Amino acid sequence: MPLPPLFSSDSLTRFVLEGIDLELEIGINAFELGKPQKVSLTVSVEVPDALCHIADSREGLLSGYDYNHVYDAIKQATSERVTLIEVLAQRIADLLLRNPEVRACEIKVMKYRMWPEVATVAVSIRRSQPPGLAHTQDRP
């Protein structure tokens, strides 16, 4: 009698990159133009659990999910000027979801001290693969 699988095909693992602090020229107000502001990102992706049941080695990672892709998407999305924090969040999500292994992602973008009495202004989005696409793209 075969053993049951260790994980369901619907089980997901979440990778989170927190406290990604950047200096970006971002914003539409006159006092924001022409000067970089501190922006902090938290970005997470959810991938099938099977991509994390791999050999504990560089070679094992070849059959798993490499979270360097998350960092690369952030760098690519911030390489061009963006005016709105919600657009930056969407750019990152769009780049992450190009990879069918990524089932869903969450992006939080925070700007600090836009006004003296407001610690942060933030936007948080969650995006996922369209129904059906994610499960048809699984690795064998």
Side-chain angles (χ1 to χ4, degrees):
M1 178 173 188
L3 294 173
L6 296 174
F7 50 90
S8 158
S9 62
D10 293 333
S11 296
L12 299 174
T13 296
R14 177 181 286 203
F15 290 94
V16 182
L17 280 68
E18 293 182 297
I20 305 159
D21 295 329
L22 305 169
E23 292 283 328
L24 300 176
E25 187 179 331
I26 190 168
I28 60 169
N29 296 305
F31 61 85
E32 296 177 291
L33 301 178
K35 70 174 194 180
Q37 297 180 62
K38 181 179 177 187
V39 175
S40 184
L41 306 172
T42 298
V43 179
S44 66
V45 296
E46 294 178 7
V47 301
D49 241 4
L51 297 176
C52 299
H53 290 269
I54 57 177
D56 187 17
S57 65
R58 180 178 299 273
E59 293 74 27
L61 187 56
L62 295 175
S63 63
Y65 181 76
D66 184 350
Y67 54 80
N68 280 300
H69 297 302
V70 178
Y71 182 77
D72 293 342
I74 293 164
K75 296 309 269 183
Q76 184 177 347
T78 58
S79 67
E80 295 182 25
R81 189 182 191 297
V82 63
T83 303
L84 303 172
I85 60 175
E86 52 267 48
V87 172
L88 177 57
Q90 188 60 52
R91 277 187 192 176
I92 296 168
D94 289 346
L95 290 166
L96 292 170
L97 291 172
R98 286 182 185 172
N99 181 341
E101 293 174 342
V102 174
R103 297 288 197 258
C105 60
E106 290 185 33
I107 295 90
K108 182 176 183 180
V109 181
M110 297 184 298
K111 290 193 326 185
Y112 292 89
R113 296 290 175 202
M114 189 169 150
W115 301 284
E117 65 276 11
V118 178
T120 60
V121 175
V123 64
S124 182
I125 66 170
R126 178 177 170 80
R127 301 292 184 263
S128 57
Q129 293 287 0
L133 175 67
H135 295 288
T136 61
Q137 300 283 331
D138 280 349
R139 290 182 183 178

